[in-house]
Amino acid sequence: MPASELKVLMRDTLSHFQHLHRLSGSADAEKSVDWLCEQLQARDIPFRRESCNLWLSDPLDASLTVAGQVINAKTRSFSAHCPDGVEAELFHDTQSLDFIPENALANWSARVRGKLVLADQGFEDYVQRLMNAGALGLIHIWGSAEAALHEETVGPVWGTPVPDDLQRYPTIPVISISQQDGAHLRSQLSAETLCARLTTVLHEHVAPCSLPVVELPGSSEEFVLLSSHYDSWHEGVTDNATGNALCLALATLFSEQRLTRGLRVAFWPGHSNARYGGSTWYADHFRSQLLDHCVAHINVDSPGCIGGSQLVVNASGAESSDWLNQAIIATTGKPAERVTPIGKGADQSFWGLGIPLHFALREVPEQRQSLSPGSGGGWWWHTEEDTLDKVDEAHLWRDFDIHQRWLESLLYEKTLPLDARQYLALMDDALAQLQNEIDPAFSLNTLRERLSALEKLISGKTCKLSSLAEATGLWHRARYRAGDDFHPDLSYHGGAFPGLQRLCGFRRQQCSERYWLMLETQFIRQRDRISELLTRSEWILRQSV
């Protein structure tokens, strides 16, 4: 298909989606899938329209009143539903961004207990800490100057919960306010005691959600998974109608070609109000196909934004940086600003499935003026202002071209762009940094020795591609997960070797005997889990060298 027709298809997608508020579980979300499926059917592109039941939390309304003053506020998905309101003394937690040692936790808890807490952060682990301390609510002050309030989530569970997860869901209301309003409240609190009243209204429900997947076969059983979430906050044109338009155009382009590897193009529901529920459902229900045949997952989120002039690649570390940059240089004339490890988010629900390649292109502004992590860093991210005028069609086509080049390589070349030595070095660097952040009693030397042995094993030698891919899948389990392959880690446990990250900051002299014992147990189990994964990978590689 000519480039001009692909551009028209992307433009039509944006034009149609711009008036649909595509929150999962809503009629507009299903209308957007209807339209996607109509486009696929019209072009004879093979697809399946799956349906998955998801646990959804829709934030509807919030209010904050302090000393008779009404302050603009928004609640967050999976906040507690408190329509009758909570009233209490307001407390500014100046330690909200600080690590709290175990021997100081009781004093901190006493200060926030029974209070509505004003804080400079609203991440899920902080909400959990406030719940455990007996706080009555959280008022998060957004950290950059835009007046717009952003939709967000405090859901602690990745995807759909199991019964043991229920106790983790927030039992306190959580709202956000602007930086300006927060500064005013802090100033008032420094001079006088204030009481506040907040309300939150949420709709928590289970609903069926469509999950369309294009399935283009190749001559081999292997396939690449390309994905984007179609649900949105409000119109969500740059998050993520642009991603849907790009993926639909790529599906159309490659449907006309004879492929070596197959291509699946998935459109996820439940990214926003089900905490990556759609991609997790797909990982659960198509596990064997993904485990046996998927060689790469490329996630597309918020391409084509005004101001998104700089490009970053979020990658697992196993991908050749030179290969990633080849497509970017061919399109833009220069490499990405940086290639950086994938963070906790963006429907990365597949770490336990042995997929060797995971990466995503991300736009960032030349000069950041907002803390918005999506929409190219634009202040309108997750707000009512994410509208069609925020799209830069030149950036969208640039991003399309880069993805096309990546896919042409993955779908046709026999090899995979794996750089095992680079990944082993990155993991060793991460362990070295981690060693500086945990108590010296927790030695990571044995793990670093394992990595060194692996590097020596493959240095200057040729390994079978299938063995190298299998070993890489084990390394991903070590680097990106803390638990088993069937139950995702909590949404807020991230960083390199997340099970070991739980040890950061703690020192023996600041811990009770009981808590130190728990940390020792955490260390032993995580060290040995990672060691066994590395040992298994070494055995696999020794058979293929």
Side-chain angles (χ1 to χ4, degrees):
M1 178 178 283
S4 59
E5 293 184 28
L6 292 171
K7 290 180 180 180
V8 169
L9 176 58
M10 289 197 287
R11 194 174 296 123
D12 287 349
T13 305
L14 299 180
S15 178
H16 190 82
F17 277 29
Q18 68 168 318
H19 300 303
L20 296 174
H21 293 237
R22 303 178 307 281
L23 195 62
S24 290
S26 70
D28 274 4
E30 292 302 310
K31 287 179 184 177
S32 70
V33 178
D34 292 341
W35 191 86
L36 284 172
C37 293
E38 287 169 6
Q39 304 312 304
L40 296 171
Q41 287 175 328
R43 293 165 175 78
D44 293 322
I45 298 174
F47 72 95
R48 296 160 59 98
R49 183 171 182 167
E50 305 288 350
S51 180
C52 54
N53 286 328
L54 297 180
W55 184 336
L56 308 168
S57 174
D58 306 339
L60 302 178
D61 195 19
S63 69
L64 174 64
T65 305
V66 182
Q69 176 189 6
V70 178
I71 298 172
N72 190 30
K74 276 187 176 179
T75 189
R76 293 187 167 170
S77 183
F78 290 107
S79 160
H81 172 63
C82 298
D84 296 329
V86 176
E87 189 167 352
E89 181 182 336
L90 194 61
F91 173 77
H92 178 215
D93 182 15
T94 58
Q95 294 182 285
S96 65
L97 296 171
D98 298 339
F99 171 78
I100 307 293
E102 198 251 343
N103 63 356
L105 189 59
N107 288 336
W108 174 85
S109 298
R111 289 196 295 274
V112 302
R113 188 173 300 121
K115 306 293 199 309
L116 292 176
V117 177
L118 185 69
D120 294 314
Q121 72 133 309
F123 290 117
E124 298 87 345
D125 54 344
Y126 182 62
V127 175
Q128 297 287 307
R129 185 149 53 98
L130 289 173
M131 283 169 50
N132 293 334
L136 297 184
L138 169 62
I139 303 162
H140 171 216
I141 304 170
W142 187 252
S144 49
E146 64 268 23
L149 296 179
H150 305 272
E151 309 288 353
E152 257 289 16
T153 180
V154 288
V157 176
W158 192 284
T160 299
V162 296
D164 284 349
D165 292 325
L166 280 177
Q167 62 184 330
R168 298 188 180 276
Y169 281 92
T171 55
I172 61 173
V174 179
I175 63 171
S176 63
I177 61 174
S178 70
Q179 186 183 63
Q180 182 177 357
D181 286 334
H184 180 65
L185 284 180
R186 281 197 299 259
S187 177
Q188 284 183 285
L189 271 175
S190 67
E192 60 181 318
T193 300
L194 295 173
C195 284
R197 185 176 188 273
L198 66 83
T199 66
T200 55
V201 180
L202 295 97
H203 180 213
E204 197 168 285
H205 58 119
V206 174
C209 300
S210 292
L211 196 167
V213 184
V214 173
E215 296 185 347
L216 304 178
S219 58
S220 80
E221 290 186 303
E222 292 182 339
F223 66 87
V224 173
L225 176 63
L226 178 74
S227 75
S228 64
H229 70 88
Y230 71 83
D231 63 315
S232 68
W233 295 115
H234 312 290
E235 293 180 11
V237 176
T238 65
D239 189 8
N240 187 34
T242 50
N244 305 147
L246 187 152
C247 286
L248 178 60
L250 286 169
T252 301
L253 175 67
F254 285 105
S255 70
E256 300 172 344
Q257 303 179 21
R258 296 173 65 88
L259 307 178
T260 302
R261 291 190 179 96
L263 175 64
R264 293 191 186 183
V265 185
F267 298 87
W268 308 129
H271 171 95
S272 302
N273 59 336
R275 208 63 166 113
Y276 314 118
S279 55
T280 305
W281 181 91
Y282 194 76
D284 288 340
H285 288 78
F286 290 85
R287 177 178 176 79
S288 61
Q289 295 177 29
L290 293 162
L291 189 65
D292 294 340
H293 305 303
C294 187
V295 299
H297 174 222
I298 308 172
N299 185 252
V300 182
D301 202 337
S302 295
C305 301
I306 60 171
S309 58
Q310 309 298 309
L311 295 176
V312 171
V313 182
N314 293 337
S316 71
E319 302 79 9
S320 163
S321 294
D322 288 342
W323 179 85
L324 289 169
N325 273 314
Q326 280 175 7
I328 297 174
I329 293 169
T331 300
T332 69
K334 62 179 183 179
E337 293 297 307
R338 61 186 180 277
V339 178
T340 188
I342 292 178
K344 194 84 173 183
D347 284 294
Q348 300 298 332
S349 302
F350 305 98
W351 294 118
L353 292 165
I355 300 170
L357 303 172
H358 302 252
F359 58 94
L361 186 70
R362 183 163 60 92
E363 296 182 350
V364 295
E366 189 169 345
Q367 289 188 326
R368 180 172 288 279
Q369 297 179 330
S370 170
L371 290 181
S372 299
S375 297
W379 60 264
W380 60 86
W381 168 81
H382 283 195
T383 75
E384 295 86 345
E385 302 302 321
D386 186 2
T387 47
L388 190 60
D389 59 308
K390 308 304 188 303
V391 175
D392 185 316
E393 289 193 359
H395 287 170
L396 184 57
W397 184 251
R398 171 201 65 189
D399 298 347
F400 172 90
D401 190 60
I402 292 167
H403 283 85
Q404 178 185 346
R405 293 174 188 275
W406 279 335
L407 285 171
E408 285 173 344
S409 173
L410 292 171
L411 297 176
Y412 291 108
E413 294 178 9
K414 290 183 179 181
T415 60
L416 291 173
L418 288 167
D419 190 335
R421 294 185 66 189
Q422 169 192 274
Y423 194 21
L424 292 170
L426 288 172
M427 286 191 288
D428 185 63
D429 289 345
L431 286 175
Q433 180 178 341
L434 193 56
Q435 185 69 81
N436 292 329
E437 298 172 2
I438 63 178
D439 192 284
F442 303 133
S443 173
L444 303 178
N445 287 343
T446 57
L447 298 181
R448 298 188 68 188
E449 289 167 2
R450 289 278 184 202
L451 292 175
S452 178
L454 284 165
E455 197 279 333
K456 290 177 182 177
L457 175 62
I458 63 174
S459 182
K461 301 180 179 67
T462 300
C463 299
K464 291 181 182 177
L465 180 60
S466 59
S467 299
L468 197 57
E470 186 178 358
T472 302
L474 294 172
W475 299 342
H476 287 333
R477 289 172 170 94
R479 163 63 174 79
Y480 286 96
R481 294 197 76 147
D484 64 59
D485 291 348
F486 298 91
H487 190 261
D489 293 343
L490 296 173
S491 63
Y492 53 89
H493 288 165
F497 305 97
L500 293 172
Q501 291 284 341
R502 302 292 303 279
L503 307 171
C504 287
F506 292 104
R507 294 296 181 265
R508 186 167 194 163
Q509 63 270 25
Q510 296 175 314
C511 295
S512 64
E513 286 188 12
R514 185 180 69 170
Y515 201 79
W516 183 255
L517 177 60
M518 289 191 282
L519 292 174
E520 283 184 321
T521 305
Q522 175 78 9
F523 168 69
I524 291 167
R525 291 175 180 175
Q526 287 297 318
R527 180 200 61 193
D528 292 354
R529 173 185 170 274
I530 295 166
S531 181
E532 287 185 15
L533 289 167
L534 297 179
T535 299
R536 283 168 58 191
S537 73
E538 183 177 351
W539 184 88
I540 290 165
L541 292 172
R542 284 194 183 281
Q543 308 311 304
S544 72
V545 169

